[in-house]
Amino acid sequence: MTRTTEHHIDMNETLGNVPASRSGVAITPAHRHFFRALPKAELHCHLLGAVRHDTFIALAERTGAPIARSEIDAFYTRGEKPVGVLRVLRALDEYLLTRADDLHRIAYEYLQDAAGQNVRHSEFFWNPTGTVRVSKIAYADAQAAIVAAIRDAARDFRISARLIPSIDREADPDEAVQVVAWMKAHRADEVAGLGIDYRENDRPPELFWEAYRDARAAGFRTTAHAGEFGMPARNVETAVDLLQCERIDHGYTIVDDPALAARCAERGIVFTVVPTNSYYLRTLPPEQWAELHPLRRMAALGLKIHPNTDDPTLHKVDPAGAWQLMFDHFGFGIADLRRFMFNGIDGAWVDESQRAQWRTAWAAEFDALAAALP
Ligand code: HPA
Ligand code: ZN
């Protein structure tokens, strides 16, 4: 490996190890401070995708998991054509998480890391089906542990957070109905709504209409991973029109359906996009990755996009890095980032008075930070 290559990887460590920027935008230390300090919401992050590398090792040692240290290190290595992280999440359920306290630990550590990046509010996903069926931790205990971590982190790090129990779409749709039944039986203020994730291929959103109907009827908010992995815009349409989702996670292929995009723009639906998404890093030519990435066109179509980390420790990205990528790779300016910040507030599942307060306070902070840029 040449020195240049080493340097390239070092520089990209918090930027998802993505192709070097060709935009010509210069990043100074003042910019780095700006991306870190700007007040952020995070609306698309998976609890199991945010486990620290050393915590993964410690849990594996405690449980005697049949995963070699080299394999763990490979999980936490991001190649130039990343294979995706879903198998790592499955390994966590299967071997590492054995008691509710483990969930408290990873949630508390995630929120500590996020707060260190000036994430003021996080809404993060957790898949109860794997926890209950595979890790054999009861729903009530698991949710209580995560909610306790949210309260502890609020006290210790001044970050607010909400939990989004998320459907494992590779499991039977009846399991999704069960997730909503658990949510209804164990209500907590911090448990805001329902999501769905895992492999979208062959698992379109309509399979899960019943769980979404029940969630809405019970007063939960709703979002869905749709239009990821190159799956059709139709899945976004189904999530919006049939499941009646208020937010969409990813949603990239909506660029293939401008009429649908116009409707979503009109309705102000927030799209939580992920600059380090594995599918596009794998399938677009590296030298054109930033240029051809659909999230650019989503913004041009008037959609309310908001940048997120998704699986930060596995993607080798942090919130500051995700925002920096929008600026130095994807061609957005400081005024665009300001709009994205407001999109995050608009999309947050908190009451309107809280959103109004954030709009005022965060705008003032953002403007003061932006004024200090070269
Ligand atoms: N997509 C689908 N499933 C996931 C993701 C994602 O971005 N992250 C964790 N599970
Ligand atoms: Zn995701």
Side-chain angles (χ1 to χ4, degrees):
M1 188 184 282
T2 66
R3 292 190 65 86
T4 330
T5 312
E6 272 170 27
H7 182 68
H8 166 80
I9 289 170
D10 285 351
M11 292 305 289
N12 267 323
E13 184 74 357
T14 58
L15 293 180
N17 194 27
V18 302
S21 176
R22 301 157 60 92
S23 69
V25 173
I27 295 297
T28 66
H31 284 92
R32 275 187 239 285
H33 172 73
F34 173 77
F35 297 124
R36 193 183 175 94
L38 72 89
K40 291 179 266 302
E42 176 140 88
L43 302 179
H44 183 165
C45 182
H46 302 265
L47 178 60
L48 299 197
V51 177
R52 295 175 184 167
H53 191 169
D54 58 358
T55 296
F56 196 111
I57 293 166
L59 290 170
E61 278 170 3
R62 191 198 77 218
T63 59
I67 309 174
R69 176 61 194 269
S70 57
E71 200 179 344
I72 297 176
D73 294 346
F75 285 165
Y76 282 86
T77 304
R78 188 83 164 156
E80 275 171 22
K81 297 275 178 191
V83 288
V85 304
L86 301 183
R87 77 214 148 94
V88 184
L89 313 186
R90 297 292 185 200
L92 275 153
D93 275 339
E94 180 140 11
Y95 302 115
L96 302 193
L97 303 169
T98 62
R99 50 196 203 199
D101 191 51
D102 297 335
L103 294 164
H104 181 280
R105 175 179 179 175
I106 62 176
Y108 183 81
E109 289 179 353
Y110 157 61
L111 292 169
Q112 179 175 23
D113 293 343
Q117 294 262 312
N118 241 344
V119 172
R120 301 284 172 80
H121 177 73
S122 167
E123 298 182 0
F124 61 96
F125 297 107
W126 157 62
N127 300 97
T129 303
T131 298
V132 175
R133 306 280 183 237
V134 180
S135 307
K136 310 254 184 269
I137 305 169
Y139 181 89
D141 298 341
Q143 182 187 287
I146 300 171
V147 167
I150 288 173
R151 293 177 186 168
D152 292 346
R155 178 197 64 214
D156 297 346
F157 314 123
R158 296 174 161 275
I159 182 171
S160 82
R162 298 282 186 273
L163 179 63
I164 310 176
S166 191
I167 294 167
D168 174 353
R169 74 196 317 158
E170 295 173 40
D172 193 281
D174 287 343
E175 295 280 5
V177 172
Q178 177 64 254
V179 167
V180 177
W182 286 327
M183 290 165 68
K184 287 164 63 177
H186 303 283
R187 285 182 191 270
D189 290 343
E190 290 83 354
V191 181
L194 180 70
I196 182 169
D197 68 302
Y198 280 110
R199 248 174 83 85
E200 190 178 337
N201 310 52
D202 308 318
R203 306 299 286 165
E206 58 268 27
L207 293 173
F208 304 93
W209 66 273
E210 208 175 344
Y212 275 83
R213 177 202 61 192
D214 292 355
R216 271 198 324 279
F220 289 109
R221 315 296 296 267
T222 50
T223 186
H225 282 53
E228 195 192 2
F229 311 106
M231 291 298 106
R234 178 174 195 83
N235 285 1
V236 178
E237 185 169 35
T238 305
V240 170
D241 289 334
L242 178 68
L243 305 186
Q244 295 181 34
C245 287
E246 306 159 63
R247 285 197 321 236
I248 294 293
D249 303 304
H250 301 295
Y252 312 112
T253 53
I254 195 171
V255 298
D256 300 331
D257 186 343
L260 174 63
R263 280 204 292 129
C264 291
E266 165 77 28
R267 285 176 52 177
I269 290 176
V270 172
F271 286 72
T272 66
V273 297
V274 175
T276 53
N277 181 259
S278 307
Y279 176 79
Y280 292 106
L281 282 167
R282 201 165 58 239
T283 56
L284 293 174
E287 63 290 352
Q288 285 184 294
W289 166 75
E291 211 170 26
L292 299 180
H293 202 293
L295 66 78
R296 280 182 186 254
R297 277 171 285 151
M298 293 171 79
L301 286 163
L303 294 168
K304 290 173 81 165
I305 64 171
H306 177 255
N308 290 270
T309 58
D310 203 4
D311 300 291
T313 55
L314 299 170
H315 284 197
K316 298 282 181 207
V317 72
D318 56 24
W323 285 75
Q324 182 180 326
L325 288 171
M326 302 299 273
F327 181 76
D328 71 352
H329 282 66
F330 291 116
F332 296 107
I334 297 297
D336 297 313
L337 299 191
R338 196 175 189 276
R339 279 193 297 111
F340 301 157
M341 180 183 73
F342 283 115
N343 293 345
I345 297 173
D346 291 350
W349 290 342
V350 297
D351 58 43
E352 179 49 34
S353 64
Q354 177 65 264
R355 281 200 297 268
Q357 197 225 310
W358 284 341
R359 281 188 197 102
T360 309
W362 296 13
E365 282 189 62
F366 186 101
D367 293 341
L369 288 162
L373 285 174

